[in-house]
Amino acid sequence: MLTTACGNSAAVQIEEGKVNVVTSFYPLYYMAKEIGGEHVNVVNLIPSGVEPHDWTPKSVDLQNVSKAQIMLYQGAGFEGWIEDFKNGLDNNSKVKLIEASKGVTLIEGTHAEEESGHGHEHGHEAGHNEESGHHHENEEGHSHEGGIDPHTWVSPKSAIVMAENVKQALIDADSSNKAYYEERHKQLHDKLVALDKQYADSIKQTSKKDIIVSHHAFGYLARDYGIHQHAIMGIAPNAEPRAQDILRLTKLVEEKQIKYIFFEELVSDTLAKTLASEANVETLVLNPLEGLTKEQEAAGENYLTLMERNLQHLLKALQ
Ligand SMILES: [Zn+2]
């Protein structure tokens, strides 16, 4: 994982005559392409198949972003590298940095822990520090000093707010195509609203409300649709769980009659599989939409198709 993270950076191709938009990770790339259409050239900094919690930019990324008009980043503490990155930009650069999560009511990390039944924030923090020697990249890649849950995009409700920010950034950079961006934004907005309704209506009817996931990526989904998430790992996908966490989750499986433990595709599923076999339940994918795998990209999957599949899997698990 470490080697992959160090070796990968997308080659940014600036195109004259278009609004060049650089995005920090997949959901923003998707929104910028959907809304920007033919008038934008969107480049994602993180290549497919790479977990963004593990990723940090290199100097070549800085040079390339300096030439773009817009850089969209998630904010809310997701990109632990963003402040250094801002400081490192070329002085002559006209790039506008836009925080896509702006306007979403954020979840404080401690609150998320409480909601999911964890009562040991400090234990997690200590765990992270012990790990720092082994996961140098990780420690830089995710910063949660503010204790804020950064995963807003996993909830369609928050994605609606984010898409609004992306539209506004494009209009500000290229007002001559305002009507075009507004029309394309409306199409995406309507799809997100329909998705939100689908989530709300169907989850309302499930008998179970508890899910076990790999890392705390589903806090906004949980808040917005009345689910409780219990994470095997902390807020980043590679923090090691402690023995008592595993024990607690095994007990939870029994108490809540949980039938499936969710895993995600960009990180190892070993822990989910181990826990599932110990608790004698099955595993299912719940995608935190932090990036596409190469296969998903090739198959034409996108934010909407993956969020629809997530809902099917959620309903299966919550029956
Ligand atoms: Zn995450």
Side-chain angles (χ1 to χ4, degrees):
M1 187 55 91
L2 202 61
T3 336
T4 320
C6 290
N8 270 308
S9 270
V12 176
Q13 300 283 349
I14 298 297
E15 274 185 43
E16 294 295 331
K18 290 193 175 185
V19 180
N20 288 283
V21 183
V22 178
T23 60
S24 69
F25 80 130
Y26 173 71
L28 302 179
Y29 173 83
Y30 172 75
M31 288 179 184
K33 266 197 115 66
E34 288 296 301
I35 301 168
E38 64 187 35
H39 292 303
V40 301
N41 170 45
V42 190
V43 180
N44 195 23
L45 280 180
I46 304 179
S48 55
V50 175
E51 202 339 285
H53 284 282
D54 296 331
W55 187 89
T56 50
K58 296 194 294 193
S59 56
V60 63
D61 296 313
L62 263 176
Q63 289 159 21
N64 285 323
V65 170
S66 292
K67 294 178 203 152
Q69 282 81 48
I70 301 172
M71 179 180 170
L72 294 170
Y73 69 103
Q74 168 62 12
F78 189 59
E79 297 92 348
W81 42 265
I82 196 72
E83 287 308 317
D84 285 347
F85 194 83
K86 282 180 190 170
N87 294 333
L89 284 170
D90 192 318
N91 283 336
N92 299 320
S93 172
K94 295 196 171 63
V95 68
K96 290 255 183 325
L97 277 81
I98 307 291
E99 186 173 22
S101 67
K102 206 170 171 205
V104 176
T105 307
L106 298 175
I107 299 175
E108 297 288 324
T110 43
H111 182 57
E113 295 278 319
E114 276 161 23
E115 272 207 336
S116 65
H118 284 240
H120 52 74
E121 247 259 286
H122 301 289
H124 265 300
E125 289 305 314
H128 281 222
N129 293 339
E130 282 161 29
E131 287 293 308
S132 62
H134 304 286
H135 297 284
H136 182 66
E137 285 284 324
N138 287 353
E139 288 304 303
E140 286 188 13
H142 68 270
S143 91
H144 302 285
E145 292 90 25
I148 291 171
D149 181 347
H151 303 90
T152 61
W153 64 90
V154 193
S155 162
K157 266 195 196 7
S158 310
I160 290 169
V161 177
M162 294 170 65
E164 197 77 42
N165 292 335
V166 174
K167 176 195 73 175
Q168 198 53 52
L170 291 175
I171 291 174
D172 290 347
D174 178 27
S175 58
S176 58
N177 290 308
K178 183 170 187 273
Y180 176 86
Y181 297 134
E182 279 176 342
E183 172 54 30
R184 295 202 43 123
H185 169 262
K186 193 189 176 305
Q187 288 172 24
L188 176 63
H189 175 83
D190 290 350
K191 287 178 197 163
L192 291 172
V193 168
L195 186 70
D196 169 49
K197 188 172 169 1
Q198 228 182 322
Y199 265 78
D201 291 351
S202 57
I203 293 174
K204 205 186 296 167
Q205 289 170 18
T206 62
S207 54
K208 296 184 179 136
K209 299 292 175 197
D210 292 80
I211 57 170
I212 298 181
V213 298
S214 289
H215 82 289
H216 271 126
F218 304 93
Y220 292 86
L221 198 70
R223 176 188 73 183
D224 293 344
Y225 305 100
I227 303 171
H228 308 288
Q229 70 165 340
H230 307 271
I232 300 174
M233 286 159 271
I235 206 145
N238 295 308
E240 289 292 317
R242 303 169 306 172
Q244 63 253 50
D245 290 331
I246 299 290
L247 205 67
R248 182 177 52 80
L249 291 169
T250 318
K251 258 172 86 178
L252 190 79
V253 166
E254 280 174 35
E255 273 170 30
K256 305 280 183 187
Q257 296 182 310
I258 286 168
K259 296 273 193 313
Y260 295 93
I261 286 171
F262 288 112
F263 69 99
E264 50 194 79
E265 290 141 312
L266 288 181
V267 293
S268 160
D269 60 359
T270 315
L271 275 162
K273 292 241 157 89
T274 307
L275 181 57
S277 86
E278 269 180 42
N280 204 21
V281 294
E282 289 177 69
T283 55
L284 260 181
V285 168
L286 194 61
N287 193 323
L289 274 305
E290 293 183 352
L292 300 185
T293 63
K294 289 206 165 68
E295 293 74 24
Q296 286 164 343
E297 190 181 39
E301 299 274 16
N302 63 38
Y303 177 87
L304 286 174
T305 63
L306 293 170
M307 282 298 288
E308 277 163 11
R309 186 142 339 118
N310 271 355
L311 180 58
Q312 288 163 17
H313 288 185
L314 275 170
L315 295 176
K316 189 173 179 180
L318 295 173
Q319 283 311 312

